[in-house]
Amino acid sequence: MTPTEIDEVTLRRVLDSRGNATVEADVRTTEGFGRASAPSGASTGEYEAVEISAKRAVERGEEAGEALVGTDAANQRAVDETLRDEDGTDDFSRIGANAAVAISMATADSAADALGVRLHRHLGGAFASSTPTPLGNVVGGGEHADDATDIQEFLVAPTGAETFEEAVFTNAAVHAGVKDVLDDRGVTAGKGDEGAWAPSIDDPEALEVVAEAVDRAADVETRIGLDVAASELWDDDAGAYVYGDTTRDTEEQVDYVESLVREGDLIYVEDPLREDDFEAFARLTERLADTDTLVCGDDLFVTNVERIEHGVAQGAANSVLIKPNQVGTVTGAYEAVKTARDAGYETVMSHRSGETEDATIASLSVGFGTGLIKTGTVGGERTAKLNEVIRIQRDMER
Ligand SMILES: C=C(OP(=O)(O)O)C(=O)O
Ligand SMILES: [Mg+2]
């Protein structure tokens, strides 16, 4: 009997940060215990693996978990293949990507526990040694807040920080700085789903506010980024991106995003175009080839190897967002990172707008060596991940 042999897989419904039900999995091995829960998106990509109701995911996930009893939790590929076989579809629509990702991540956690190593070491090995740059959203709207900006996320990345810890505290200071700038302008704001301020202002003013907050509050070089989440702005009938009263056709959208990047010296722009438009993605990427801007695909790639390969072949984007629940397994997330990296694309590990206190993506980011992690700035379900990377960083320094 090995210490990592799986004895039992149990699932339950728990709350996520929006107050919705999500799935938590426990995996018990001969000598280990692991737990993980599934996040949930609001601006989900059309080609993501499918989330089903938490109640059904618990039932079907537990049935699938029975097939894992007796297998080796340290053999992540075999575990994830069994989950795929038990599901029997190509998008996890039977057992649910929510059940699959919770079981897959809890299995990795249980193996690490049984082996007596930290999760990032179990996944990344002895040479996993770098921590990511945190991309934190400080203003947001779109699908994450009503009556706020059209662009979904205004992010900051402390590119001049020497440590992850310094970067995280810089992002938090800028988040507080945004509130000060809004107060000075007499603008009130609540918070959106991910803890970013959600003022009722337009996108150009939001960029101005964030730039002013960076000037005031950041002690190290801090650059601005955006998640346009453009599929949510696209209107099929209009054949254009709709921003309130303004519409932009695809060429105008490429011009607009290019101007935002150049005027704001942006370090990052995610989903600047809709999820099917690889060609326009490639045009924008080419137009920005003289900058250091990361053009990132989220809904475009959905953490899917075939879609990443298709994008790489066309020169669409130069970085890939990695959301484990978009693909449903730890192995799938790893393969997406590997495919991106082999093509010279940067990788960004990411939370979802609906989250729990689960911090697994912190360990996946360090273990897989993603250059960035996008997981918010404040709020317990966001700081759970940030604080875990701080702990990992401090352990590495010992
Ligand atoms: C985190 C995001 O939002 P959601 O989880 O709603 O897809 C995103 O679009 O990058
Ligand atoms: Mg996105």
Side-chain angles (χ1 to χ4, degrees), residues 43 152-153 227 229 270-271 298-299 321 323 374:
S43 63
Q152 182 178 284
E153 297 168 27
D227 179 1
E270 178 183 323
D271 282 353
D298 169 12
D299 293 348
L321 205 73
K323 288 171 165 171
K374 184 176 92 151

Side-chain angles (χ1 to χ4, degrees), residues 144-156:
H144 294 169
D146 291 336
D147 196 24
T149 54
D150 290 311
I151 289 179
Q152 182 178 284
E153 297 168 27
F154 295 77
L155 302 139
V156 285

Side-chain angles (χ1 to χ4, degrees), residues 267-270 281 285 293-298 300-301 316-321 340 344-348 372:
I267 187 68
Y268 180 84
V269 59
E270 178 183 323
F281 253 97
T285 309
T293 309
L294 293 171
V295 179
C296 188
D298 169 12
L300 180 76
F301 294 134
N318 55 25
S319 52
V320 178
L321 205 73
Y345 279 35
E346 183 55 277
T347 50
V348 185
L372 299 100

Side-chain angles (χ1 to χ4, degrees), residues 56-333:
R56 203 166 285 158
V58 166
E59 287 163 13
R60 294 184 182 170
E62 282 203 340
E63 278 167 31
E66 281 169 27
L68 292 174
V69 172
T71 64
D72 183 0
N75 189 346
Q76 189 73 41
R77 268 185 202 284
V79 165
D80 291 341
E81 254 173 54
T82 302
L83 286 173
R84 283 217 163 276
D85 289 348
E86 288 298 305
D87 176 75
T89 72
D90 59 5
D91 57 7
F92 275 121
S93 50
R94 201 186 71 77
I95 70 168
N98 37 349
V101 80
I103 296 170
S104 181
M105 296 194 305
T107 301
D109 191 37
S110 71
D113 184 48
L115 296 169
V117 294
R118 299 283 298 272
L119 181 54
H120 67 281
R121 283 262 163 264
H122 168 56
L123 294 169
F127 300 108
S129 59
S130 63
T131 50
T133 297
L135 266 172
N137 53 342
V138 293
V139 174
E143 292 295 301
H144 294 169
D146 291 336
D147 196 24
T149 54
D150 290 311
I151 289 179
Q152 182 178 284
E153 297 168 27
F154 295 77
L155 302 139
V156 285
T159 45
E162 291 198 351
T163 63
F164 185 83
E165 181 188 329
E166 185 178 31
V168 161
F169 281 95
T170 301
N171 282 353
V174 175
H175 184 274
V178 164
K179 180 73 168 73
D180 293 340
V181 175
L182 290 172
D183 283 350
D184 288 354
R185 293 179 179 222
V187 176
T188 55
K191 289 182 190 167
D193 284 354
E194 297 178 346
W197 299 108
S200 180
I201 57 178
D202 64 17
D203 297 335
E205 185 174 4
L207 270 170
E208 246 178 63
V209 167
V210 175
E212 206 176 315
V214 166
D215 280 347
R216 283 199 208 177
D219 293 332
V220 297
E221 182 192 62
T222 298
R223 307 264 302 273
I224 297 173
L226 299 173
D227 179 1
V228 181
S231 291
E232 305 296 339
L233 298 173
W234 177 259
D235 182 329
D236 259 335
D237 296 333
Y241 297 91
V242 179
Y243 298 72
D245 296 335
T246 308
T247 58
R248 295 184 173 92
D249 68 19
T250 300
E251 249 352 272
E252 289 167 337
Q253 176 78 354
V254 171
D255 290 344
Y256 176 57
V257 175
E258 182 183 5
S259 72
L260 291 178
V261 166
R262 291 195 187 278
E263 282 160 28
D265 187 30
L266 304 186
I267 187 68
Y268 180 84
V269 59
E270 178 183 323
D271 282 353
L273 294 144
R274 68 198 164 101
E275 59 207 336
D276 284 310
D277 205 344
F278 284 89
E279 206 184 84
F281 253 97
R283 273 204 306 285
L284 178 67
T285 309
E286 173 64 28
R287 292 257 287 267
L288 294 173
D290 63 323
T291 71
D292 63 355
T293 309
L294 293 171
V295 179
C296 188
D298 169 12
D299 293 348
L300 180 76
F301 294 134
V302 290
T303 318
N304 175 298
V305 166
E306 285 76 37
R307 289 184 70 88
I308 297 168
E309 284 171 347
H310 184 64
V312 167
Q314 297 199 32
N318 55 25
S319 52
V320 178
L321 205 73
I322 305 293
K323 288 171 165 171
N325 80 320
Q326 282 183 331
V327 62
T329 62
V330 171
T331 303

